[in-house]
Amino acid sequence: AQKVTQAQTEISVVEKEDVTLDCVYETRDTTYYLFWYKQPPSGELVFLIRRNSFDEQNEISGRYSWNFQKSTSSFNFTITASQVVDSAVYFCALSGTYKYIFGTGTRLKVLA
Amino acid sequence: DTGVSQDPRHKITKRGQNVTFRCDPISEHNRLYWYRQTLGQGPEFLTYFQNEAQLEKSRLLSDRFSAERPKGSFSTLEIQRTEQGDSAMYLCASSLVAGGPGDEQYFGPGTRLTVT
């Protein structure tokens, strides 16, 4: 069975701090895809990144970076120099076929 | 270029009533998905369509739930004889087939259902 665990329910940081959101997944598939989505207070899920199981390269996009490690089944997300606008719930998701399996999300509060 | 739209955004209904939600995907997207999200949880998969064919249904989708995508464009999700446990946010997403799974899904704003 597939499963995504986001153990951090809520994190609070002060603006400009770096923060890492953890994601651990379980799957028996050899080919799979991992995603991060942001859900701001408005409620609409916003796509951030996709990574396939054959590509373990880390990725950086502006203040965002992702660390994918198959050896530990983790796909962690780091926000550098956090801003108040980063406050949201962040979801990690796994897909082996077409449907997504989401984690329970991590609520990030960035305080001014 | 418009995103995924859903209607209505909010629905309050009494237990036992039927409700229907509509989703309009991004125009060139041929896959459409329905998810349900309850408070404090991540979205849970309900069903998905490729064009007009419904290819997978979750066990979460009881007999009271039915989804259609008659012409491969918009989709409807109907819940019959609503129960208080049906109260949730119903999310629609769409994606473009690019040769296999793993396409990123684009989500609509959701329909929040409250059953009193």
Side-chain angles (χ1 to χ4, degrees):
Chain A
Q2 296 183 319
K3 185 178 179 182
V4 175
T5 300
Q6 294 181 257
Q8 302 153 309
T9 305
E10 185 169 313
I11 300 175
S12 291
V13 298
V14 176
E15 204 170 21
K16 296 184 184 176
E17 284 186 4
D18 298 348
V19 58
T20 295
L21 309 181
D22 297 334
C23 173
V24 174
Y25 63 92
E26 295 174 31
T27 182
R28 293 182 181 178
D29 295 336
T30 53
T31 301
Y32 53 89
Y33 299 83
L34 295 162
F35 304 82
W36 276 95
Y37 280 80
K38 175 181 180 180
Q39 189 172 43
S42 61
E44 193 160 335
L45 283 159
V46 177
F47 167 78
L48 295 177
I49 191 171
R50 175 186 64 188
R51 174 67 73 227
N52 73 52
S53 53
F54 298 107
D55 182 2
E56 287 194 71
Q57 270 192 325
N58 291 333
E59 181 154 340
I60 298 174
S61 176
R63 297 184 297 107
Y64 295 171
S65 63
W66 290 270
N67 184 330
F68 175 31
Q69 292 194 331
K70 285 179 75 172
S71 60
T72 56
S73 297
S74 66
F75 186 42
N76 296 337
F77 173 29
T78 297
I79 302 175
T80 302
S82 60
Q83 300 176 0
V84 172
V85 293
D86 296 327
S87 297
V89 180
Y90 291 86
F91 289 98
C92 180
L94 167 68
S95 175
T97 54
Y98 299 100
K99 65 186 180 187
Y100 284 9
I101 305 298
F102 283 88
T104 50
T106 297
R107 181 177 298 278
L108 174 65
K109 292 184 177 179
V110 182
L111 309 172
Chain B
D1 181 29
T2 57
V4 178
S5 60
Q6 293 187 244
D7 184 68
R9 297 290 306 277
H10 303 273
K11 179 72 178 179
I12 299 174
T13 191
K14 292 185 177 179
R15 189 176 53 187
Q17 298 294 305
N18 299 343
V19 294
T20 300
F21 310 141
R22 176 180 170 125
C23 170
D24 287 89
I26 294 172
S27 59
E28 64 270 24
H29 285 186
N30 52 1
R31 287 210 187 105
L32 186 148
Y33 308 78
W34 285 99
Y35 292 83
R36 181 172 69 186
Q37 185 178 20
T38 53
L39 206 59
Q41 299 297 314
E44 295 175 291
F45 170 80
L46 293 179
T47 188
Y48 96 95
F49 294 83
Q50 181 158 321
N51 300 312
E52 63 274 9
Q54 188 173 18
L55 297 186
E56 187 172 345
K57 291 171 60 172
S58 163
R59 285 174 291 178
L60 291 175
L61 218 61
S62 75
D63 292 344
R64 297 184 297 105
F65 288 71
S66 62
E68 294 183 342
R69 194 182 183 198
K71 296 183 180 178
S73 57
F74 73 91
S75 174
T76 58
L77 177 68
E78 181 183 16
I79 308 175
Q80 296 182 325
R81 305 181 303 281
T82 51
E83 301 172 356
Q84 287 188 322
D86 297 331
S87 295
M89 177 76 86
Y90 290 84
L91 296 168
C92 178
S94 69
S95 70
L96 180 64
V97 175
D103 303 322
E104 57 264 32
Q105 297 178 17
Y106 293 90
F107 284 79
T111 294
R112 181 169 296 285
L113 172 66
T114 303
V115 181
T116 62

